[in-house]
CSV table of all heavy atoms in Angstrom, one decimal:
chain,number,residue,atom,x,y,z
A,1,ALA,N,101.9,243.2,-28.1
A,1,ALA,CA,101.3,244.0,-27.0
A,1,ALA,C,100.7,245.3,-27.5
A,1,ALA,O,99.6,245.7,-27.0
A,1,ALA,CB,102.3,244.2,-26.0
A,2,ALA,N,101.3,245.9,-28.6
A,2,ALA,CA,100.8,247.1,-29.1
A,2,ALA,C,99.5,247.0,-29.8
A,2,ALA,O,98.7,248.0,-29.9
A,2,ALA,CB,101.8,247.7,-30.1
A,3,VAL,N,99.1,245.7,-30.2
A,3,VAL,CA,97.8,245.5,-30.8
A,3,VAL,C,96.9,244.8,-29.9
A,3,VAL,O,95.9,244.2,-30.3
A,3,VAL,CB,97.9,244.7,-32.2
A,3,VAL,CG1,98.7,245.6,-33.2
A,3,VAL,CG2,98.6,243.4,-32.0
A,4,GLY,N,97.2,244.8,-28.6
A,4,GLY,CA,96.3,244.3,-27.6
A,4,GLY,C,96.5,242.9,-27.1
A,4,GLY,O,95.8,242.4,-26.2
A,5,LEU,N,97.5,242.1,-27.6
A,5,LEU,CA,97.8,240.8,-27.1
A,5,LEU,C,98.9,240.8,-26.1
A,5,LEU,O,100.1,240.9,-26.5
A,5,LEU,CB,98.1,239.9,-28.3
A,5,LEU,CG,98.4,238.4,-27.9
A,5,LEU,CD1,97.2,237.8,-27.2
A,5,LEU,CD2,98.8,237.6,-29.2
A,6,HIS,N,98.6,240.8,-24.9
A,6,HIS,CA,99.6,240.9,-23.8
A,6,HIS,C,100.5,239.7,-23.8
A,6,HIS,O,100.0,238.6,-23.9
A,6,HIS,CB,98.9,241.1,-22.4
A,6,HIS,CG,99.9,241.6,-21.4
A,6,HIS,ND1,100.8,240.8,-20.7
A,6,HIS,CD2,100.1,242.8,-20.9
A,6,HIS,CE1,101.5,241.5,-19.9
A,6,HIS,NE2,101.1,242.7,-19.9
A,7,PRO,N,101.8,239.9,-23.6
A,7,PRO,CA,102.7,238.7,-23.6
A,7,PRO,C,102.4,237.7,-22.6
A,7,PRO,O,102.8,236.5,-22.8
A,7,PRO,CB,104.1,239.4,-23.4
A,7,PRO,CG,104.0,240.8,-23.9
A,7,PRO,CD,102.5,241.1,-23.6
A,8,ASP,N,101.8,238.1,-21.5
A,8,ASP,CA,101.5,237.1,-20.4
A,8,ASP,C,100.5,236.0,-20.9
A,8,ASP,O,100.3,235.0,-20.3
A,8,ASP,CB,100.9,237.8,-19.2
A,8,ASP,CG,102.0,238.6,-18.4
A,8,ASP,OD1,103.2,238.4,-18.8
A,8,ASP,OD2,101.7,239.4,-17.5
A,9,ARG,N,99.7,236.3,-22.0
A,9,ARG,CA,98.7,235.4,-22.5
A,9,ARG,C,99.3,234.4,-23.5
A,9,ARG,O,98.6,233.4,-23.8
A,9,ARG,CB,97.6,236.2,-23.2
A,9,ARG,CG,96.7,237.0,-22.2
A,9,ARG,CD,95.6,237.6,-23.0
A,9,ARG,NE,94.9,236.6,-23.8
A,9,ARG,CZ,94.2,236.9,-24.9
A,9,ARG,NH1,94.1,238.1,-25.4
A,9,ARG,NH2,93.6,235.9,-25.5
A,10,VAL,N,100.5,234.6,-23.9
A,10,VAL,CA,101.1,233.8,-25.0
A,10,VAL,C,102.0,232.8,-24.5
A,10,VAL,O,103.0,233.1,-23.7
A,10,VAL,CB,101.8,234.7,-26.0
A,10,VAL,CG1,102.4,233.9,-27.2
A,10,VAL,CG2,100.9,235.9,-26.5
A,11,LEU,N,101.8,231.5,-24.9
A,11,LEU,CA,102.7,230.4,-24.6
A,11,LEU,C,103.5,230.1,-25.9
A,11,LEU,O,102.9,229.9,-27.0
A,11,LEU,CB,101.9,229.1,-24.2
A,11,LEU,CG,100.9,229.3,-23.0
A,11,LEU,CD1,100.1,228.1,-22.9
A,11,LEU,CD2,101.7,229.6,-21.8
A,12,TYR,N,104.8,230.2,-25.8
A,12,TYR,CA,105.6,230.1,-27.0
A,12,TYR,C,106.1,228.6,-27.2
A,12,TYR,O,106.7,228.1,-26.2
A,12,TYR,CB,106.8,231.0,-27.0
A,12,TYR,CG,106.4,232.5,-26.9
A,12,TYR,CD1,106.4,233.1,-25.6
A,12,TYR,CD2,106.1,233.2,-28.0
A,12,TYR,CE1,106.0,234.4,-25.5
A,12,TYR,CE2,105.7,234.6,-27.8
A,12,TYR,CZ,105.7,235.1,-26.6
A,12,TYR,OH,105.3,236.5,-26.4
A,13,ALA,N,105.9,228.1,-28.4
A,13,ALA,CA,106.5,226.8,-28.7
A,13,ALA,C,107.4,226.9,-29.8
A,13,ALA,O,107.0,227.1,-31.0
A,13,ALA,CB,105.4,225.8,-29.1
A,14,GLU,N,108.7,227.0,-29.5
A,14,GLU,CA,109.8,227.2,-30.5
A,14,GLU,C,110.3,225.8,-30.9
A,14,GLU,O,111.0,225.1,-30.1
A,14,GLU,CB,110.9,228.1,-30.0
A,14,GLU,CG,110.4,229.5,-29.7
A,14,GLU,CD,111.4,230.3,-28.9
A,14,GLU,OE1,112.5,229.8,-28.7
A,14,GLU,OE2,111.1,231.4,-28.6
A,15,THR,N,109.9,225.3,-32.1
A,15,THR,CA,110.2,223.9,-32.5
A,15,THR,C,111.6,223.7,-33.1
A,15,THR,O,112.0,222.6,-33.2
A,15,THR,CB,109.2,223.5,-33.5
A,15,THR,OG1,109.3,224.2,-34.7
A,15,THR,CG2,107.7,223.6,-33.0
A,16,ARG,N,112.3,224.8,-33.4
A,16,ARG,CA,113.6,224.7,-34.1
A,16,ARG,C,113.5,224.2,-35.5
A,16,ARG,O,114.2,224.6,-36.4
A,16,ARG,CB,114.5,223.7,-33.4
A,16,ARG,CG,114.7,224.1,-31.9
A,16,ARG,CD,115.6,225.3,-31.7
A,16,ARG,NE,115.8,225.6,-30.3
A,16,ARG,CZ,116.5,226.6,-29.9
A,16,ARG,NH1,117.0,227.5,-30.7
A,16,ARG,NH2,116.7,226.8,-28.6
A,17,ARG,N,112.5,223.3,-35.8
A,17,ARG,CA,112.3,222.9,-37.2
A,17,ARG,C,110.9,223.2,-37.7
A,17,ARG,O,110.0,222.9,-36.9
A,17,ARG,CB,112.6,221.4,-37.3
A,17,ARG,CG,114.0,221.0,-37.1
A,17,ARG,CD,114.2,219.5,-37.4
A,17,ARG,NE,114.9,218.8,-36.3
A,17,ARG,CZ,115.0,217.5,-36.2
A,17,ARG,NH1,114.4,216.7,-37.0
A,17,ARG,NH2,115.7,217.0,-35.2
A,18,GLU,N,110.8,223.6,-38.9
A,18,GLU,CA,109.5,224.0,-39.4
A,18,GLU,C,108.6,222.7,-39.5
A,18,GLU,O,107.4,222.8,-39.4
A,18,GLU,CB,109.6,224.7,-40.8
A,18,GLU,CG,108.2,225.1,-41.3
A,18,GLU,CD,108.4,226.1,-42.5
A,18,GLU,OE1,109.0,227.1,-42.4
A,18,GLU,OE2,107.8,225.7,-43.5
A,19,THR,N,109.2,221.6,-39.8
A,19,THR,CA,108.4,220.4,-39.9
A,19,THR,C,107.7,220.0,-38.7
A,19,THR,O,106.8,219.1,-38.7
A,19,THR,CB,109.3,219.2,-40.4
A,19,THR,OG1,110.4,219.1,-39.5
A,19,THR,CG2,109.8,219.4,-41.8
A,20,GLU,N,108.1,220.5,-37.5
A,20,GLU,CA,107.5,220.2,-36.3
A,20,GLU,C,106.4,221.2,-35.8
A,20,GLU,O,105.7,221.0,-34.8
A,20,GLU,CB,108.6,220.1,-35.2
A,20,GLU,CG,109.6,219.0,-35.4
A,20,GLU,CD,110.7,218.9,-34.4
A,20,GLU,OE1,110.6,219.8,-33.5
A,20,GLU,OE2,111.6,218.1,-34.5
A,21,VAL,N,106.2,222.2,-36.6
A,21,VAL,CA,105.3,223.3,-36.2
A,21,VAL,C,103.8,222.7,-36.3
A,21,VAL,O,103.1,222.9,-35.3
A,21,VAL,CB,105.4,224.5,-37.1
A,21,VAL,CG1,104.2,225.5,-36.8
A,21,VAL,CG2,106.7,225.2,-36.8
A,22,LEU,N,103.5,222.1,-37.4
A,22,LEU,CA,102.1,221.7,-37.5
A,22,LEU,C,101.7,220.5,-36.5
A,22,LEU,O,100.6,220.6,-36.0
A,22,LEU,CB,101.8,221.2,-39.0
A,22,LEU,CG,102.0,222.3,-40.0
A,22,LEU,CD1,101.7,221.8,-41.4
A,22,LEU,CD2,101.1,223.5,-39.7
A,23,PRO,N,102.6,219.5,-36.3
A,23,PRO,CA,102.3,218.5,-35.3
A,23,PRO,C,102.1,219.2,-33.9
A,23,PRO,O,101.3,218.7,-33.1
A,23,PRO,CB,103.5,217.6,-35.3
A,23,PRO,CG,104.0,217.7,-36.7
A,23,PRO,CD,103.8,219.1,-37.1
A,24,THR,N,102.9,220.2,-33.6
A,24,THR,CA,102.8,220.9,-32.3
A,24,THR,C,101.5,221.6,-32.2
A,24,THR,O,100.8,221.6,-31.2
A,24,THR,CB,104.0,221.9,-32.1
A,24,THR,OG1,105.2,221.2,-32.2
A,24,THR,CG2,103.9,222.5,-30.7
A,25,MET,N,101.1,222.2,-33.3
A,25,MET,CA,99.8,222.9,-33.3
A,25,MET,C,98.7,221.9,-33.0
A,25,MET,O,97.8,222.1,-32.2
A,25,MET,CB,99.5,223.5,-34.7
A,25,MET,CG,100.2,224.8,-35.0
A,25,MET,SD,99.6,225.5,-36.6
A,25,MET,CE,97.9,225.9,-36.1
A,26,GLU,N,98.7,220.7,-33.7
A,26,GLU,CA,97.7,219.7,-33.6
A,26,GLU,C,97.6,219.2,-32.1
A,26,GLU,O,96.5,219.1,-31.6
A,26,GLU,CB,97.9,218.6,-34.5
A,26,GLU,CG,96.8,217.5,-34.5
A,26,GLU,CD,97.1,216.4,-35.4
A,26,GLU,OE1,97.9,216.5,-36.3
A,26,GLU,OE2,96.3,215.4,-35.3
A,27,GLU,N,98.8,219.0,-31.5
A,27,GLU,CA,98.8,218.5,-30.2
A,27,GLU,C,98.2,219.6,-29.2
A,27,GLU,O,97.4,219.3,-28.3
A,27,GLU,CB,100.2,218.2,-29.7
A,27,GLU,CG,100.4,217.6,-28.4
A,27,GLU,CD,101.8,217.2,-28.0
A,27,GLU,OE1,102.6,217.2,-28.9
A,27,GLU,OE2,102.1,217.0,-26.8
A,28,GLY,N,98.5,220.9,-29.5
A,28,GLY,CA,98.0,221.9,-28.6
A,28,GLY,C,96.5,222.0,-28.8
A,28,GLY,O,95.8,222.2,-27.8
A,29,LEU,N,96.0,221.9,-30.0
A,29,LEU,CA,94.5,221.9,-30.2
A,29,LEU,C,93.8,220.8,-29.6
A,29,LEU,O,92.8,221.0,-28.9
A,29,LEU,CB,94.2,221.9,-31.7
A,29,LEU,CG,94.6,223.2,-32.5
A,29,LEU,CD1,94.5,223.0,-34.0
A,29,LEU,CD2,93.6,224.3,-32.1
A,30,ARG,N,94.4,219.6,-29.7
A,30,ARG,CA,93.7,218.4,-29.1
A,30,ARG,C,93.8,218.4,-27.6
A,30,ARG,O,92.9,217.9,-26.9
A,30,ARG,CB,94.3,217.1,-29.7
A,30,ARG,CG,94.1,217.0,-31.1
A,30,ARG,CD,94.4,215.6,-31.6
A,30,ARG,NE,94.2,215.4,-33.1
A,30,ARG,CZ,93.0,215.3,-33.6
A,30,ARG,NH1,91.9,215.3,-32.9
A,30,ARG,NH2,92.9,215.2,-35.0
A,31,HIS,N,94.8,219.1,-27.0
A,31,HIS,CA,94.9,219.1,-25.6
A,31,HIS,C,93.8,220.0,-25.0
A,31,HIS,O,93.2,219.7,-23.9
A,31,HIS,CB,96.2,219.7,-25.2
A,31,HIS,CG,96.5,219.8,-23.7
A,31,HIS,ND1,96.1,220.9,-23.0
A,31,HIS,CD2,97.0,218.9,-22.8
A,31,HIS,CE1,96.4,220.6,-21.7
A,31,HIS,NE2,96.9,219.5,-21.6
A,32,GLY,N,93.4,221.1,-25.7
A,32,GLY,CA,92.4,222.0,-25.2
A,32,GLY,C,92.9,222.9,-24.2
A,32,GLY,O,94.1,222.9,-23.8
A,33,GLY,N,92.0,223.8,-23.6
A,33,GLY,CA,92.4,224.7,-22.6
A,33,GLY,C,93.1,226.0,-23.1
A,33,GLY,O,93.5,226.8,-22.3
């Protein structure tokens, strides 16, 4: 927030495992919006 990114704009995806971060990114990108 101090650098201009308000928390209300951020959707957090906590995967618990690092191996799931990149697949989650890809799914979010392909979903769009």
